[in-house]
């Protein structure tokens, strides 16, 4: 039975990947950091099928011991400080988690078992101020946030350990991917949650930042499939994972409100404090290499994704309201 270790298993992608790997016959282990209260909501339904271990991206020894204990055949490094605005408020911590944390994972693999296959969660934020459209594996990086800068380091150290030590290390340059499990601070989930609350009468306004930003949004369930496919190849390599289609935040908002017959212009207001010091205005990926070499294509369209998220939040908010009334 192959054994996988997932860092960031309590996050959106971690939950989808754990479920996917269990279905494919893996023995699944997750790394979790110590917290005063456990936050395992996204993986609650899998708790009796996976094993969780405490370690932290900041602590080298904890990671070495973790790799020794678990003896994984594959490591998926999804843990990071992943929210772009926080990276301006906490640039050093973001660098420690999102950049140096990758080296700590790779060092542990190099020391304990260099035969382990390694996946690094790289990001389209590395393209930042884009130099060409669409972006593929050869597009120049120009990150626009401390988060993006940290991800560029994580990407290149992954490439470097492949080239220096022959480690089977792959980097997935993933464009935005969303789901009902997405954190509520990210724009898609912030919108779907607000639409549900407004529809059910418990909220009236939604405050947003830049409505003109354009993103290539896909479904997280499709993207974790690509992570696994990358580690099954004969040779390690890097792949852009994207839908190839982009929409503005304004389109997202209009479609999400429209799905429940609401006029977004009656509810959405701009809050200038949500504008970013340096914005990534447009991203659109070209995943032709993944299609050719991994036989990967996305299965969920933008509209299906928004509907899925709004419907899931409607159901959840309605359930919460019923519980309050009981
Ligand atoms: P989330 O923010 O949902 O999850 C991040 C995970 O990292 C959480 O499990 C969190 O644990 C964990 N973590 C953070 N810091 C540490 C630490 N010091 N030690 C151990 N664990 C830590 O992110 P996503 O699931 O959306 O993304 C997964 C990865 O993919 C991230 O690296 C992200 O940057 C990257 N990425 C995501 C994209 C997307 O659109 N979703 C696109 C491109 C890249 P806790 O629950 O304790 O906070
Ligand atoms: P992003 O995602 O920064 O692309 O990073 P996010 O959903 O936060 O922002 C997308 C775009 O929407 C604009 N926006 C707002 N964003 C938020 N969060 N809140 C708002 O109120 C709001 N109003 C407008 C933003 O300015 C931005 O242009 C995500 C993360 O998952 C990263 O970890 C990952 O690497 C990248 O996607 C690919």
């Amino acid at each position: 039975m192959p054994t996988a270790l997932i860092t960031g298993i309590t996050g959106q992608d971690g939950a989808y990947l754990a479920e996917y790997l269990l279905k494919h016959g893996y023995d699944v282990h997750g790394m979790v950091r110590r917290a005063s209260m456990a936050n395992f909501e996204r993986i609650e339904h899998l708790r009796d099928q996976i094993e969780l271990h405490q370690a932290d991206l900041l602590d080298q020894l904890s990671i070495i011991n973790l790799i020794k204990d678990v003896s994984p055949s594959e490591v998926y490094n999804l843990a990071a400080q992943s929210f772009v605005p926080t990276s301006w408020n906490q640039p050093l911590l973001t660098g420690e988690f999102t950049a140096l944390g990758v080296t700590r994972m790779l060092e542990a693999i190099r020391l304990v078992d260099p035969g382990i296959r390694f996946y690094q969660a790289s990001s389209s934020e590395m393209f930042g101020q884009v130099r060409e459209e669409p972006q593929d594996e050869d597009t120049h990086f120009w990150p626009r946030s401390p988060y993006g800068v940290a991800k560029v380091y994580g990407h290149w150290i992954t490439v470097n350990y492949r080239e220096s030590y022959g480690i089977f290390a792959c980097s997935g340059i993933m464009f935005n991917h969303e789901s009902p499990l997405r954190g509520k601070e990210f724009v898609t989930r912030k919108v779907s949650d607000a639409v549900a609350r407004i529809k059910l009468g418990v909220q009236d306004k939604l405050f947003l930042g830049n409505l003109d930003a354009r993103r290539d949004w896909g479904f997280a369930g499709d993207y974790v499939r690509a992570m696994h496919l990358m580690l099954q190849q004969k040779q390690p390599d890097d792949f852009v994972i994207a839908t190839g289609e982009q929409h503005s935040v304004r389109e997202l908002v209009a479609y999400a409100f429209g799905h429940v017959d609401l006029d977004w212009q009656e509810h959405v207001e701009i809050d200038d404090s949500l504008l970013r010091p340096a914005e990534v205005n447009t991203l659109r990926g070209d995943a032709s290499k993944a299609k050719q070499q991994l036989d990967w294509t996305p299965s969920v369209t933008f509209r299906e994704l928004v509907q899925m998220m709004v419907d899931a939040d409607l159901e959840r908010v309605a359930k919460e309201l019923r519980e309050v009334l009981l």
Side-chain angles (χ1 to χ4, degrees):
M1 188 192 263
T3 303
L5 171 65
I6 304 173
T7 76
I9 194 163
T10 55
Q12 171 190 254
D13 290 8
Y16 278 100
L17 182 63
E19 199 166 330
Y20 181 87
L21 293 176
L22 283 169
K23 280 197 188 121
H24 284 76
Y26 277 71
D27 179 17
V28 175
H29 296 251
M31 175 178 119
V32 293
R33 54 178 166 169
R34 198 244 156 211
S36 63
M37 284 251 279
N39 62 337
F40 300 153
E41 299 92 28
R42 290 181 175 114
I43 47 171
E44 210 51 69
H45 60 299
L46 307 173
R47 277 306 296 283
D48 56 348
Q49 300 170 68
I50 59 180
E51 210 175 309
L52 300 180
H53 308 258
Q54 241 181 49
D56 199 296
L57 281 181
L58 297 183
D59 192 283
Q60 181 71 75
L61 197 58
S62 73
I63 298 172
I64 292 171
N65 287 334
L66 172 67
I67 304 269
K68 277 187 186 159
D69 287 351
V70 174
S71 272
S73 39
E74 297 172 10
V75 170
Y76 295 85
N77 185 38
L78 310 184
Q81 191 302 94
S82 73
F83 191 47
V84 172
T86 295
S87 75
W88 278 284
N89 299 331
Q90 301 181 353
L92 296 177
L93 192 65
T94 300
E96 285 286 350
F97 285 8
T98 306
L100 287 178
V102 187
T103 312
R104 293 191 191 98
M105 293 302 301
L106 286 162
E107 273 294 272
I109 288 173
R110 186 175 75 83
L111 289 168
V112 177
D113 175 6
I116 293 170
R117 294 187 170 205
F118 178 77
Y119 173 82
Q120 167 57 17
S122 288
S123 165
S124 53
E125 281 293 295
M126 302 190 302
F127 297 123
Q129 183 72 25
V130 297
R131 305 286 283 266
E132 59 191 4
E133 184 117 1
Q135 298 85 48
D136 64 16
E137 293 78 6
D138 297 321
T139 302
H140 189 88
F141 296 144
W142 187 344
R144 296 267 285 170
S145 62
Y147 168 83
V149 174
K151 281 289 179 187
V152 172
Y153 174 93
H155 174 78
W156 283 117
I157 203 71
T158 301
V159 173
N160 183 261
Y161 271 55
R162 182 166 79 215
E163 293 176 354
S164 303
Y165 304 114
I167 291 176
F168 194 109
C170 299
S171 172
I173 306 176
M174 299 221 165
F175 284 62
N176 301 52
H177 45 278
E178 321 292 315
S179 73
L181 297 185
R182 185 60 140 153
K184 283 189 194 162
E185 61 207 331
F186 299 94
V187 76
T188 52
R189 185 72 200 289
K190 185 173 171 179
V191 169
S192 65
D193 180 58
V195 165
R197 295 174 64 79
I198 291 169
K199 183 71 183 173
L200 296 173
V202 284
Q203 185 175 324
D204 184 38
K205 294 287 175 206
L206 166 62
F207 293 93
L208 292 172
N210 180 11
L211 299 185
D212 295 320
R214 301 180 74 78
R215 288 290 184 279
D216 178 331
W217 279 294
F219 171 53
D222 283 334
Y223 287 48
V224 300
R225 185 160 42 88
M227 297 175 188
H228 176 247
L229 284 170
M230 281 181 221
L231 295 199
Q232 314 314 311
Q233 298 300 292
K234 285 207 175 70
Q235 298 295 330
D237 207 343
D238 308 319
F239 294 90
V240 159
I241 302 297
T243 69
E245 203 183 294
Q246 68 166 198
H247 298 272
S248 66
V249 174
R250 184 177 282 98
E251 285 164 29
L252 162 73
V253 166
Y255 188 65
F257 278 85
H259 179 54
V260 295
D261 300 320
L262 289 173
D263 179 357
W264 69 274
Q265 303 201 47
E266 290 173 11
H267 300 281
V268 172
E269 289 186 12
I270 302 302
D271 176 349
D272 285 346
S273 72
L274 294 169
L275 300 173
R276 300 178 179 187
E279 176 64 292
V280 172
N281 294 309
T282 175
L283 288 172
R284 185 163 71 86
D286 173 358
S288 308
K289 181 175 166 184
K291 184 166 195 276
Q292 269 170 15
Q293 292 187 32
L294 306 176
D295 195 22
W296 179 89
T297 48
S299 71
V300 177
T301 65
F302 172 73
R303 285 181 170 240
E304 288 165 349
L305 175 66
V306 178
Q307 285 177 24
M308 179 202 306
M309 293 179 71
V310 171
D311 290 345
D313 276 322
L314 272 172
E315 199 175 309
R316 183 187 52 81
V317 175
K319 185 163 171 268
E320 283 170 10
L321 288 173
R322 280 197 302 274
E323 282 165 5
V324 170
L325 288 174
L326 280 176

